[in-house]
Every structure is written in C-alpha cells, then in structure tokens.
Amino acid sequence: MNKIKIIVIAGPTASGKSELAMDLAEKFNGELVSADSLQVYQQLDIGTAKATSEELQQVPQYLIDLVPYTANFSVIDFVSAADDAIQKIVKKGRLPIIVGGTGFYVKALLGQQSFDYAESDSDEVARAMQRPLEELVDELKKTANSGILQRTDLNNKTRVVRALQITKHGQKKMESTRPAYDSLVLAIEWPRELLYERINTRVHRMVEKGLEDEARLLFDSGGLNLQAGRGIGYKEFYPYFAGQGSLKEVISAIQQDSRRYAKRQLTYWRHQIDGLQWIDWQNRQQIAETKVADFIKKE
C-alpha cells in the first residue's frame, strides 16, 4: 500500500503554527487540516484562534466548526474526520498539511496512539473535572491496573479522568482500516521567555476581540459541564461571572494557565511524537520550506 504524504506543523500554543502552515500551503499547493481540540466547536472563534474568513478563502481548512459548542468530541471523532479530509485533499491533487497543538490528536492520527476509548458517563466526567487533580490521581492508583497507570499522564487532569472512566466503565477499540501516512512532523522552537511573551500578548488581543462573550456563552450553557467549557481561555472567566475577582485577575489566570499548558505541550511533543523535528524560530519559514521540498521529492 502506498503511503499518503502529509505535513504536520506542531508545537505549543502561540508558536506561529498557523502562520507557517498557511505559508507552506500557498507555496506547495496545500490545504490545512486543524488538529485542535477546540476549533471543532462552532461559535468559539476568538478563544480557539480560528482562521479568519479571509484566510479560509486564501487556503481551505478542514475540521473547524464541526459540532455545536455543547457537544462532545473525541479523538476517535477527530481521526475519522481527519482521515476523510486528507482523502479529499489528496483527490484534488493537493498536499495535506495538519496544523494544531493537540498532541494526542496528532499522535493518534499518525498511528502512534492506541484507539482504546472509554464508554464515558458525561455527568461523572463533569463532576470529576471539578475535583482536585491529586485526589483523582489517588483514586486512579487505587483502582486502575498497572497498564492504564503507565499509559496515563498523571499531570493531565483530562487524561486522568479518562483513565478513571475506562477503569470504571470499560473501553472499546476502533475497528476500521485506516490510511497509512508518510509524515514530516515539524515544530517551531522558541526561547521560553519569547514564547511566554507571545502567549501573554495573545491573551490580551483575544480579550480585546471579545473573548469574554464566548466565555459567557459557555458559562450560561453549563460551563465546566461542557467539554468545550473546560478549555483554557474560557474556564478562567467563570469565577468572575459568579462575582469573584476582577477582569484583570481573569486575564492573569488565562496567561498563567496558557504558559503552563505550553510547557506541558513542549514536554508532550518532545517525548510522545516519533520523528518530530524542531526548527529554529528565527529561520522557521526557510528551514520548513527546504524540509518540505525534500520530503515531497523523496520516494
């Protein structure tokens, strides 16, 4: 079976993934596939940093605005939709370029991640997400087998809750034959202090554009009870909406949570994605173009 060539532009939040992917798509006749766990939700444009309508006219992009913001969306849903999008792009004779910071999605798409998934209880998940991480980890250590413990990132609350759901309700496997991909995976490497500056600036810009309105929409619809409502950039507003704290404190919390998330992403990309190549931030476009050109030519 011939493998389908795909490019993946990965890395932490605010690292310039989308801009680089757009440039590569224009140069190499490509189209983009979002690998962002929040961009699939409708009406959440600012906090998820979706492409503008002008950018979408410039370069088509798939897997944005797929489901209502009240819906659940799993890694299985992502992989299925991404496989379909890639097939469509290839049939048009164009190059699929995957862009996004959700490492778990990318790992699964590349076939490096098990497709086991939990038969979850949504109410239990919502309640669990409001409990302290330390308490959830203690419960998991008492109830899960060694295999689940070894596979679970105990610093990631979402992963811990998922593992608890698997332990309690069992799991299923995705039973389907998927395409085989030949992938070039690139990530932009920034000095940590510059990346954090970009994150802080980006948060201010999102607030200026109306991030609070999107957070209010989620808060009024269930807040932490929604999968989308637990996203960074939204959940930090909820105490403020409940009369606790100031907008300045909200902005500071979003910046802090975003920086911590970026740090976790960096760790994940470095240790979980096979074959990832880091490229210097200063010469990222030139380096990426050279690597993509060589990759396309390779038999």
Side-chain angles (χ1 to χ4, degrees), residues 36-152:
D36 186 292
S37 60
L38 287 178
Q39 288 191 353
V40 298
Y41 292 108
Q42 299 160 4
Q43 296 180 255
L44 304 181
D45 302 332
I46 299 169
T48 64
K50 286 178 189 170
T52 64
S53 57
E54 292 79 10
E55 289 171 334
L56 292 174
Q57 290 177 354
Q58 187 178 353
V59 176
Q61 183 166 333
Y62 299 78
L63 272 63
I64 59 175
D65 293 337
L66 289 185
V67 296
Y69 63 85
T70 53
N72 288 327
F73 193 84
S74 71
V75 65
I76 300 294
D77 297 325
F78 165 76
V79 170
S80 177
D83 284 342
D84 289 344
I86 290 169
Q87 295 282 359
K88 291 177 182 177
I89 294 169
V90 170
K91 285 181 180 178
K92 291 195 283 184
R94 308 194 75 175
L95 177 66
I97 301 176
I98 318 303
V99 55
T102 305
F104 188 61
Y105 278 12
V106 172
K107 187 175 182 179
L109 180 67
L110 298 180
Q112 300 176 13
Q113 172 66 45
S114 167
F115 283 95
D116 295 353
Y117 67 101
E119 286 279 34
S120 299
D121 182 296
S122 58
D123 290 335
E124 284 182 7
V125 169
R127 289 194 296 271
M129 289 301 295
Q130 298 182 55
R131 293 167 57 191
L133 175 61
E134 295 78 10
E135 182 180 304
L136 296 170
V137 170
D138 286 343
E139 180 180 339
L140 185 64
K141 288 179 177 178
K142 293 175 182 177
T143 58
N145 60 46
S146 59
I148 291 177
L149 279 174
Q150 291 174 359
R151 294 196 304 269
T152 303

Side-chain angles (χ1 to χ4, degrees), residues 215 218 224 228-240 254 257:
L218 290 167
L224 293 174
R230 299 191 285 271
I232 294 173
Y234 297 124
K235 62 185 177 64
E236 293 83 2
F237 274 98
Y238 303 161
Y240 173 67
I254 296 173
D257 287 347

Side-chain angles (χ1 to χ4, degrees), residues 212-262:
E212 182 177 340
D213 292 336
E214 292 184 357
R216 173 69 73 175
L217 180 68
L218 290 167
F219 179 74
D220 291 343
S221 301
L224 293 174
N225 292 319
L226 303 178
Q227 183 173 321
R230 299 191 285 271
I232 294 173
Y234 297 124
K235 62 185 177 64
E236 293 83 2
F237 274 98
Y238 303 161
Y240 173 67
F241 293 152
Q244 303 169 18
S246 65
L247 181 58
K248 183 178 180 180
E249 289 172 325
V250 171
I251 293 171
S252 178
I254 296 173
Q255 290 172 328
Q256 183 180 66
D257 287 347
S258 297
R259 293 192 301 268
R260 288 174 175 170
Y261 177 54

